[in-house]
Structure formats: structure tokens, C-alpha cells
Amino acid sequence: MNERIVDLLKKNHLSITDSRKKILSHFLDSNGALAHADIEHKSGTEFDRVTIYRTLQTFVEKGIIHTIPTTDNSVRYALCKDECSAGHHHDDHVHFMCDECGTTYCLDHVTVPKVELPAGFTATQNDLVVSGLCNKCS
Amino acid sequence: MNERIVDLLKKNHLSITDSRKKILSHFLDSNGALAHADIEHKSGTEFDRVTIYRTLQTFVEKGIIHTIPTTDNSVRYALCKDECSAGHHHDDHVHFMCDECGTTYCLDHVTVPKVELPAGFTATQNDLVVSGLCNKCS
DNA sequence: ATTTCAATGCAACAATGTTGCAAAATTTAT
DNA sequence: ATAAATTTTGCAACATTGTTGCATTGAAAT
Ligand SMILES: [Mn+2]
Ligand SMILES: [Mn+2]
Ligand SMILES: [Zn+2]
Ligand SMILES: [Zn+2]
């Protein structure tokens, strides 16, 4: 496990630090997406708030995690698939937010359908967020 | 115009106040969605920040405006169609964010497609946000 | 006009996010 | 292994965004 974390950091040319290892492990342990506040709680007083912000930002830039647009306009992050790399995310999967337990899921196997846009509009990214009840809450 | 605004407020059983009339007029004048900050700028120092927050909240509750999930996780609001009412929005249309000019559009005639969810997941709401270039910027 | 009720402004606060800079830790070079 | 170079971190200070309580003001009903 620790092995995998170090490898992931190395692969992305990031220096191996306690905070990066710990924050990455939280993502690997979690099945849903995490908000900044979640990580802050899980970490206790171990790291500074600012470090968490900067680490998340770095991970996004490197393509290790991606942000999820949410209906309640809070920022959440989830692990990217292997195919994502620095400056090039390809997250064409649907996200699901449970109204009951609040968990945000990456539905990696459900792809966002393309839609026909009005004349003159061109799409570079499509984000679909579905809310409702998850499999644990229904 | 002023007529239409007063009617809309009356229809929703809201008392007619300067701030509500003015804020509503900003939405009727704008072709895109507005953020809280936009309204604050347009209004100058006319109203307190808190009043704008409370007015937007009231309008959402009454079904006059709806919030739009954005990829940059900022809250934006746009006018609802007539069919929306208190506690019952039906916004099944796609939203478009222009990467160039930043405008957020309600694509009222493009409906969000349904997707097949994994077993146990049930959907109550689907939000699709498309980003790219709008008809003015392409 | 008077009463009743709702909306506003103000102040104080909480949550979230950003920046500059010195200290500490990690990586690279010797 | 040691030292130099580079990154990362923690802290402080600040900015932005959003919330709440309460007295004052304004709108609506009688
Ligand atoms: Mn995802
Ligand atoms: Mn809309
Ligand atoms: Zn759930
Ligand atoms: Zn545009």
C-alpha cells in the first residue's frame, strides 16, 4: 500500500513527503470523493490547512485527482484513473451524489452522453452530475 | 417592464420592495446567469450584501430563479421558466459555460439525457454542464 | 391612520481560500 | 556521507464568501 503511494508520487515527479503520502492514502482508503474539510478532519492537526490546499492543487495539476462539480457548489476531489496525466484529464464519467448519506461517487463505467448544441456552440467538456439515492441508502 | 416585475413578485406572494424589483430586473436584462458578485457590482452600494443573499434565497425558494452547478464551483443563478413554482423546479435543461467570455447560458431547448445507473442507484435530478465556446466567441 | 407583519441594514461572526516569507525537509551534487 | 540546491511546509496575515441575531425600517392589512 505504502509502496503504491510512493510509486504514484514518483511517477509524477513529486518529492515524497509525509503530507502527500498521508493525503493520498486518504483517497485510496475512501470509496467516495473527499472535500478539503474531510481531509482536514481525517488528518487532525497533523498538517496545516494551507498544506492541504497546496497538496490538492498539486495533485490536480499532475492528474492524480480531479475536481467534481457538485450541485451544492462545494469542491470535492476524487482519484483519477491511470489514463489521466499532467494537464490532461479525461474524465468522461458521470458523478453521483447521494441525497441521503452525502457520498459522492465516480461512476467510472457510466459515460457522459454527448448532446446536440445550438448553432455556434462548441463543447470541450461535458459534466453530468446525478443526484438521488445510492445503493447503500435505497 | 416594471409591470412584469411587479406581477412576478405578486404572483409569488412576495411583498414589493426596491431590492427585489431591482435584483429581478437585473435577471430580466441579462441573457446569461448571474453570480452574487455580479449583482453586487450592478447594484453598487444600493443594497446590503446580506439583502442580496436573502433575496436570491427567497427567489430560489419561490421558483423564480434556479442555481446552476458550475465546474469552477461558483454559485450562479438564472431565471426559471414559468412552469417552475415554489418547492418544485423542473429544470431539465443543459447549461453551458463559455471558456472565453465566462457567460453561463441556460440552453432551454436542450434537455438532459437520462443515463443508465448501476444497480441500486436511483436518480432524482440530472445536471449537465457543458463548457466550451459560445456562439459569440467561436 | 393604526396595527401587524415582513424585509432591511448593521455588526459580528464563521468558513473558505490565498499570498509572502522564513524554517524545515527533501533531493541533487560533491 | 556531507554539503549545496531546491522544494515543501508552517505560520501569519489577509481576502472573499456566506451566515446569524437584532433593532430599525418599510409594506401590507385592518
Ligand atoms: Mn470522478
Ligand atoms: Mn438554467
Ligand atoms: Zn447514500
Ligand atoms: Zn462566450
Side-chain angles (χ1 to χ4, degrees):
Chain A
M1 182 49 128
N2 204 339
E3 190 93 4
R4 185 181 166 190
I5 290 170
V6 171
D7 280 355
L8 196 46
L9 290 174
K10 275 186 183 162
K11 205 177 70 182
N12 287 282
H13 312 102
L14 292 173
S15 41
I16 317 297
T17 67
D18 288 349
S19 39
R20 284 176 181 164
K21 281 191 286 185
K22 201 61 172 285
I23 292 174
L24 204 41
S25 80
H26 288 143
F27 280 106
L28 290 165
D29 291 347
S30 162
N31 59 330
L34 298 176
H36 177 277
D38 295 328
I39 296 166
E40 210 170 328
H41 291 141
K42 282 177 193 288
S43 304
T45 58
E46 202 170 352
F47 315 113
D48 193 83
R49 248 160 32 81
V50 179
T51 301
I52 299 176
Y53 278 115
R54 291 198 266 229
T55 303
L56 290 172
Q57 200 176 299
T58 303
F59 285 178
V60 170
E61 284 163 5
K62 291 293 185 178
I64 299 173
I65 60 177
H66 62 276
T67 58
I68 301 178
T70 59
T71 44
D72 63 347
N73 282 100
S74 67
V75 190
R76 307 214 184 172
Y77 304 87
L79 279 180
C80 289
K81 297 287 117 181
D82 292 337
E83 311 93 51
C84 289
S85 57
H88 188 79
H89 289 272
H90 21 90
D91 292 310
D92 56 348
H93 60 272
V94 173
H95 291 105
F96 186 93
M97 296 180 68
C98 181
D99 294 327
E100 187 71 22
C101 66
T103 308
T104 301
Y105 300 86
C106 290
L107 303 182
D108 292 309
H109 301 299
V110 185
T111 54
V112 178
K114 298 273 178 299
V115 292
E116 190 83 18
L117 297 175
F121 288 76
T122 51
T124 56
Q125 207 198 329
N126 293 49
D127 283 291
L128 178 57
V129 184
V130 179
S131 33
L133 292 181
C134 77
N135 53 355
K136 286 174 190 147
C137 297
S138 61
Chain B
M1 182 51 128
N2 203 338
E3 189 94 1
R4 186 180 164 192
I5 290 171
V6 172
D7 280 356
L8 194 48
L9 290 174
K10 276 185 182 162
K11 204 177 72 182
N12 286 283
H13 311 103
L14 291 174
S15 43
I16 317 297
T17 68
D18 287 349
S19 41
R20 285 176 182 165
K21 280 191 287 185
K22 200 61 171 287
I23 292 174
L24 204 42
S25 79
H26 288 144
F27 279 106
L28 291 164
D29 290 348
S30 162
N31 58 330
L34 298 176
H36 176 276
D38 295 327
I39 296 166
E40 209 169 329
H41 292 141
K42 282 177 194 287
S43 305
T45 58
E46 205 171 352
F47 315 113
D48 193 83
R49 248 161 32 83
V50 179
T51 301
I52 298 176
Y53 278 114
R54 290 198 267 229
T55 303
L56 290 172
Q57 199 176 300
T58 304
F59 285 177
V60 170
E61 283 163 5
K62 291 293 187 177
I64 299 174
I65 60 177
H66 62 278
T67 59
I68 301 178
T70 59
T71 42
D72 63 348
N73 282 101
S74 66
V75 191
R76 305 212 186 175
Y77 304 87
L79 280 179
C80 288
K81 299 285 117 181
D82 293 339
E83 312 90 52
C84 290
S85 57
H88 189 76
H89 288 272
H90 21 87
D91 291 310
D92 55 349
H93 60 273
V94 173
H95 291 104
F96 186 93
M97 296 181 69
C98 181
D99 293 326
E100 186 71 22
C101 66
T103 308
T104 302
Y105 299 86
C106 290
L107 303 181
D108 292 309
H109 301 299
V110 185
T111 54
V112 178
K114 299 271 178 298
V115 291
E116 190 82 18
L117 297 175
F121 288 76
T122 51
T124 57
Q125 206 197 330
N126 292 50
D127 283 291
L128 177 58
V129 183
V130 180
S131 32
L133 292 181
C134 77
N135 53 354
K136 286 172 191 149
C137 296
S138 61

